[in-house]
Amino acid sequence: MITDSFSLKGKVALVTGCKRGIGKAMAEALAEAGADIIGVSASLELSGSEVEKSITALGRSFKAYQCDFSDRKSLHAFIKKAKAENPVVDILINNAGTILRKPAAEHPDEYWDQVIEVNLNSQFVLSREFGKEMVARGSGKIIFTASLLTFQGGITVPGYAASKGAIGQLTMALSNEWAGKGVNVNAIAPGYIATDNTQALREDEDRSTSILARIPQGRWGKPEDFKGPTVFLASDASSYMNGHVMVVDGGWMGR
């Protein structure tokens, strides 16, 4: 049955940036499909978080970790601990990210460095360290959260645009090396979604109006809109997809 190919029963998924928003919806979707979840965010409660409650209510296990993705030592410490406590990670969701807004001529080094470290460098390190074990086993799924700014330049977010453009290239680069070794590497590019990252845009009446006018579906996206695409790319249903950036944007890129 085709529905069987979407099952994640017996799988373990590591989801970064899972405390809220798109990452939380992704973690919940994977659990709904049968996966146990390893969750990590910079400020995730180690016990009793909302995402933990929703996932354990589904009958799946949830292990919580904290990691400052802007700090390389913190990242490597997390990876070491996670590997020791979770021998197999079948699915890696590289979702954690940040955005800092300031016009390019005023964009300080610390903004650029922090965004690139969180959105790109840490995601490469995570993919390398967990991906090498997927390659050795001959199976695995890696999903990046890309962006419309993987394809466009944006306004006042040069570091974010650079990082997300690079994520598109990294998706293809890893896929070129690992697709033939049983590891599918793909990405999901969200459009304009009602999350913390877009709060400033939604509160700017002129920008919000212009954004909605370009979206054929006529609404801001919701974190729940990413449940289906995430399960698809994490499951056997997408076994012949490699190096693809799936756009989930209400039709924005078609305009």
Side-chain angles (χ1 to χ4, degrees), residues 52-72:
E52 177 182 3
K53 291 174 184 176
S54 63
I55 286 169
T56 55
L58 294 166
R60 310 314 313 168
S61 69
F62 182 85
K63 294 183 181 179
Y65 296 86
Q66 290 182 347
C67 179
D68 178 359
F69 293 103
S70 69
D71 181 86
R72 196 67 64 92

Side-chain angles (χ1 to χ4, degrees), residues 15-18 23 26 40-42 67 69 93-98 115 118-120 122-123 126 145 164 167 197:
V15 184
T16 73
C18 70
M26 288 174 155
V40 55
S41 293
C67 179
F69 293 103
I93 309 292
N94 279 312
N95 172 72
T98 190
V115 170
V118 173
N119 292 6
L120 179 60
S122 70
Q123 299 198 19
L126 286 163
T145 296
K164 292 301 185 177
I167 286 297
N197 276 0

Side-chain angles (χ1 to χ4, degrees), residues 109-128:
D109 288 358
E110 55 266 28
Y111 274 30
W112 177 273
D113 291 344
Q114 182 176 346
V115 170
I116 294 297
E117 190 65 32
V118 173
N119 292 6
L120 179 60
N121 294 346
S122 70
Q123 299 198 19
F124 170 70
V125 173
L126 286 163
S127 299
R128 182 189 66 204

Side-chain angles (χ1 to χ4, degrees), residues 5-250:
S5 66
F6 290 88
S7 173
L8 299 177
K9 188 175 293 186
K11 302 294 185 181
V12 175
L14 192 165
V15 184
T16 73
C18 70
K19 183 175 180 177
R20 55 184 175 268
I22 292 173
K24 180 173 181 286
M26 288 174 155
E28 290 170 346
L30 296 168
E32 289 170 12
D36 292 318
I37 306 299
I38 302 165
V40 55
S41 293
S43 59
L44 180 65
E45 300 90 340
L46 295 180
S47 179
S49 67
E50 290 303 312
V51 64
E52 177 182 3
K53 291 174 184 176
S54 63
I55 286 169
T56 55
L58 294 166
R60 310 314 313 168
S61 69
F62 182 85
K63 294 183 181 179
Y65 296 86
Q66 290 182 347
C67 179
D68 178 359
F69 293 103
S70 69
D71 181 86
R72 196 67 64 92
K73 289 183 179 180
S74 175
L75 177 64
H76 280 290
F78 159 68
I79 292 170
K80 182 178 181 180
K81 184 176 182 181
K83 282 188 172 186
E85 297 177 355
N86 307 277
V88 176
V89 171
D90 301 289
I91 302 158
L92 171 62
I93 309 292
N94 279 312
N95 172 72
T98 190
I99 188 167
L100 295 171
R101 301 177 185 276
K102 195 171 279 288
E106 305 165 18
H107 210 79
D109 288 358
E110 55 266 28
Y111 274 30
W112 177 273
D113 291 344
Q114 182 176 346
V115 170
I116 294 297
E117 190 65 32
V118 173
N119 292 6
L120 179 60
N121 294 346
S122 70
Q123 299 198 19
F124 170 70
V125 173
L126 286 163
S127 299
R128 182 189 66 204
E129 294 305 308
F130 288 101
K132 67 174 67 173
E133 298 184 352
M134 294 178 181
V135 168
R137 292 195 305 270
S139 66
K141 300 276 189 172
I142 297 176
I143 304 169
F144 291 95
T145 296
S147 168
L148 293 183
L149 299 197
T150 300
F151 312 100
Q152 301 174 324
I155 301 171
T156 73
V157 288
Y160 185 83
S163 71
K164 292 301 185 177
I167 286 297
Q169 295 300 113
L170 181 58
T171 298
M172 292 185 286
L174 296 181
S175 175
N176 287 343
E177 294 192 38
W178 295 347
K181 299 177 180 179
V183 180
N184 300 88
V185 184
N186 294 288
I188 298 173
Y192 285 91
I193 313 302
T195 65
D196 292 349
N197 276 0
T198 60
Q199 183 175 349
L201 291 177
R202 287 181 285 117
E203 291 177 350
D204 183 327
E205 187 174 349
D206 290 339
R207 286 296 307 281
S208 182
T209 298
S210 67
I211 287 168
L212 286 173
R214 179 171 164 167
I215 300 173
Q217 200 163 345
R219 68 170 175 86
W220 288 80
K222 301 175 293 185
E224 292 75 20
D225 291 323
F226 295 86
K227 286 190 168 187
T230 300
V231 171
F232 172 60
L233 289 178
S235 70
D236 288 341
S238 61
S239 61
Y240 200 56
M241 287 187 68
N242 300 277
H244 179 65
V245 180
M246 178 185 289
V247 179
V248 181
D249 66 348

